Amino acid sequence: MRYALRFAQDSGHFFSGFRSAEIASLCQVFKITDIKLEQKKEDIWIVASQCQKSIENIISRSVLLKSVIKLFCYADTENKLFQTIRGDASLSSRITEELSKSTNGFKVLISTVNKTITAAEKLVIIENLLGCLPSDFECKINLKYPQVVLHLLEDFDYHSGTVRGCYLGISLPCSERGKITSEFDIRKRCFIGNTTMDPLLSALMSNLACVKNGDLILDPFIGTGGIVLLCAYHGAFVLGSDLDYKTIHAISKPSRAGLKGKRRSSEESIRTNFAQHSFEERFLDVFVNDASDVFWKRDLHFDAILTDPPYGIREGIKTINSDVKVNSIESHASMQQQSPIHMFKQLVNFSAKHLKLSGRLVFWMPFLTSRVLFDPDEHVPKHPAMKLVHFCSQKLKDTSSRALVCLEKVSEEPSLLDCDSHVNSDYYNLGPEVSFREAYLNSA
């Protein structure tokens, strides 16, 4: 059986490189081996699978998919599609048989890519489509609560406006993207900060990390906990740490508009965000800790580590500069700057020691598109116990982007775990006269 996967178009602009990574990772989560990619056209992919449950499992977690169609047929143009249906009795019989399974009726859905068409135009298409079916076919129409949706997806060329692909089949429910956008809307969240991660990106990170029910997850730069909140949504138990005492204790300045000069509510905390979604039992704890000073027991291992480290742009990259007590206001004021690449290398070293075998590290690295091209082979830290499995770039502005890096632990050989990571070239060393932060801000 073939299926048409339609990806959300904003993911085409920002996250096109993430699509293969998310699908491949979800196949690993659900141990899916029977899916084969047959056609890849920008926002629409055709895949083959003998098991519909495999497709449904991917739909249940994907945040980049907008709709999925279990295909009857597809063609380059509308006329060719209709001719195929009229000329193939077995095909039209399969369509009517599927529509007849509905006890409360069906509806026809017309959707388009790269072009908007009017309701009147859609009505003409529907009439032409139904006219291709046998004249003796009768079935109840139910526009509000149909049990079966006959979906015709038309893909238009963005520049010429001509149809370049028509896909007809039964629509499969695909609501995860909208559900996460609505339920985890940052505007509805009790506790947020300047760098709270977008919920769709947090869910995407969780998917790339292959987070599963019962996993133990760590975010060593947890901030307000936005990333691990979506890991808890996927059934994981989460821990976190951060050097910022004020953020951890929710006594930093409010981030919401209109609250300048005011204090945060006493109800604001990371734990409150989890309680807001009934995930409190999955939030284990959070610690004030300098990520460069590892305090975890050596035999503690995590299923995945997900984080958005400070880049030194909106939030500084800092470590403790004295022997003051870490869990205190004094430690918050006693810090020194750290280079970005040093922090990334420490993160990879830590992950090599504290991930389970096959566990994944997922984190962001910024780069400037206006300067040297960011090359994962040159600029992502390498470690003998870790393998790069995904590298996906997200364009932020014309001059700046960031990459979502996914490393997987491939060895537990003790001699390898104690090795230090290295980079072939320090991307963030722009010379003595300019810092990466200055270059980033000046390019904005």
Side-chain angles (χ1 to χ4, degrees):
M1 181 60 69
R2 290 180 174 84
Y3 299 84
L5 310 183
R6 178 192 177 183
F7 292 91
Q9 284 183 283
D10 60 349
S11 70
H13 181 64
F14 296 109
F15 313 126
S16 59
F18 292 71
R19 294 169 175 175
S20 296
E22 186 189 45
I23 298 297
S25 298
L26 292 179
C27 284
Q28 185 165 328
V29 169
F30 295 107
K31 298 180 172 59
I32 297 170
T33 59
D34 68 320
I35 291 181
K36 178 183 177 182
L37 178 62
E38 294 192 345
Q39 186 183 104
K40 193 174 181 179
K41 284 188 177 180
E42 295 185 11
D43 300 319
I44 301 173
W45 293 6
I46 304 297
V47 299
S49 175
Q50 296 302 314
C51 180
Q52 184 168 317
K53 184 63 177 176
S54 297
I55 302 297
E56 291 173 348
N57 282 336
I58 290 176
I59 292 172
S60 72
R61 283 277 297 258
S62 174
V63 295
L64 299 184
L65 285 174
K66 183 172 183 177
S67 61
V68 176
I69 302 173
K70 182 180 179 182
L71 287 171
F72 290 126
C73 58
Y74 57 96
D76 294 335
T77 67
E78 203 176 274
N79 286 335
K80 288 182 180 180
L81 184 77
F82 294 159
Q83 288 172 7
T84 299
I85 299 172
R86 291 191 191 98
D88 189 337
S90 62
L91 173 59
S92 59
S93 177
R94 277 202 304 126
I95 296 174
T96 55
E97 182 180 343
E98 195 70 33
L99 297 180
S100 298
K101 290 180 181 179
S102 173
T103 57
N104 72 336
F106 77 97
K107 84 169 184 178
V108 179
L109 172 66
I110 308 295
S111 60
T112 58
V113 179
N114 293 326
K115 184 178 180 179
T116 301
I117 62 176
T118 66
E121 290 173 315
K122 289 182 179 181
L123 184 58
V124 171
I125 296 172
I126 292 173
E127 291 174 346
N128 291 336
L129 172 59
L130 295 180
C132 297
L133 302 180
S135 57
D136 58 348
F137 170 67
E138 292 184 3
C139 189
K140 179 181 177 182
I141 299 293
N142 187 335
L143 298 181
K144 285 190 175 181
Y145 307 107
Q147 191 173 347
V148 175
V149 176
L150 182 61
H151 191 169
L152 175 57
L153 171 63
E154 296 194 345
D155 182 22
F156 289 83
D157 182 81
Y158 181 79
H159 299 287
S160 66
T162 57
V163 175
R164 60 184 178 185
C166 294
Y167 308 85
L168 178 68
I170 300 299
S171 184
L172 300 183
C174 190
S175 59
E176 188 66 6
R177 179 184 175 85
K179 179 182 179 183
I180 288 177
T181 301
S182 175
E183 292 188 10
F184 294 92
D185 188 340
I186 291 177
R187 294 169 296 182
K188 302 176 184 177
R189 200 170 297 176
C190 179
F191 179 46
I192 63 170
N194 291 331
T195 56
T196 297
M197 183 63 66
D198 174 86
L200 284 178
L201 285 177
S202 298
L204 183 62
M205 291 177 71
S206 181
N207 285 342
L208 263 62
C210 297
V211 172
K212 302 178 294 297
N213 188 51
D215 280 356
L216 179 62
I217 307 300
L218 173 70
D219 183 347
F221 301 94
I222 194 170
T224 59
I227 295 174
V228 290
L229 180 64
L230 271 296
C231 294
Y233 169 69
H234 289 148
F237 295 92
V238 303
L239 281 165
S241 64
D242 204 292
L243 182 57
D244 193 335
Y245 176 94
K246 291 185 176 181
T247 296
I248 290 293
H249 290 276
I251 57 175
S252 56
K253 295 179 180 179
S255 302
R256 299 185 191 277
L259 296 180
K260 186 176 180 179
K262 297 183 180 180
R263 292 185 176 183
R264 290 186 180 272
S265 164
S266 59
E267 296 180 356
E268 292 187 52
S269 70
I270 297 175
R271 185 175 294 276
T272 303
N273 286 346
F274 282 77
Q276 185 179 354
H277 295 281
S278 302
F279 299 153
E280 192 171 5
E281 74 283 356
R282 300 176 196 166
F283 175 68
L284 301 181
D285 212 339
V286 61
F287 305 90
V288 178
N289 172 248
D290 184 345
S292 66
D293 181 20
V294 179
F295 74 109
W296 303 100
K297 294 178 63 176
R298 180 64 184 261
D299 60 354
L300 176 62
H301 293 91
F302 301 96
D303 293 284
I305 298 172
L306 298 84
T307 194
D308 181 28
Y311 311 147
I313 299 170
R314 297 174 68 184
E315 297 290 342
I317 308 173
K318 299 177 181 179
T319 58
I320 295 296
N321 191 28
S322 66
D323 295 328
V324 298
K325 183 180 178 183
V326 173
N327 192 21
S328 66
I329 290 290
E330 288 76 18
S331 70
H332 184 80
S334 305
M335 301 179 185
Q336 63 181 0
Q337 293 294 327
Q338 185 184 37
S339 69
I341 199 61
H342 185 61
M343 175 195 60
F344 289 128
K345 289 165 63 177
Q346 286 179 336
L347 177 61
V348 173
N349 291 341
F350 173 83
S351 300
K353 293 183 176 72
H354 288 278
L355 278 174
K356 295 179 180 178
L357 186 63
S358 299
R360 290 186 171 186
L361 165 65
V362 179
F363 65 102
W364 294 93
M365 295 182 73
F367 61 95
L368 300 172
T369 52
S370 58
R371 299 178 73 93
V372 179
L373 178 68
F374 193 95
D375 183 351
D377 290 332
E378 292 290 319
H379 303 126
V380 173
K382 295 180 173 64
H383 192 284
M386 305 287 287
K387 178 181 73 173
L388 179 66
V389 289
H390 297 299
F391 178 87
C392 314
S393 61
Q394 177 197 9
K395 182 179 178 180
L396 300 176
K397 303 173 184 176
D398 289 338
T399 55
S400 60
S401 300
R402 61 179 176 178
L404 188 58
V405 179
C406 179
L407 301 176
E408 185 173 298
K409 185 173 179 178
V410 294
S411 176
E412 286 188 323
E413 174 62 41
S415 61
L416 297 182
L417 300 185
D418 289 324
C419 291
D420 283 331
S421 60
H422 69 280
V423 291
N424 294 338
S425 175
D426 182 358
Y427 182 86
Y428 304 99
N429 184 2
L430 304 180
E433 297 183 358
V434 61
S435 68
F436 177 76
R437 182 178 187 273
E438 291 171 335
Y440 183 96
L441 295 177
N442 290 337
S443 69

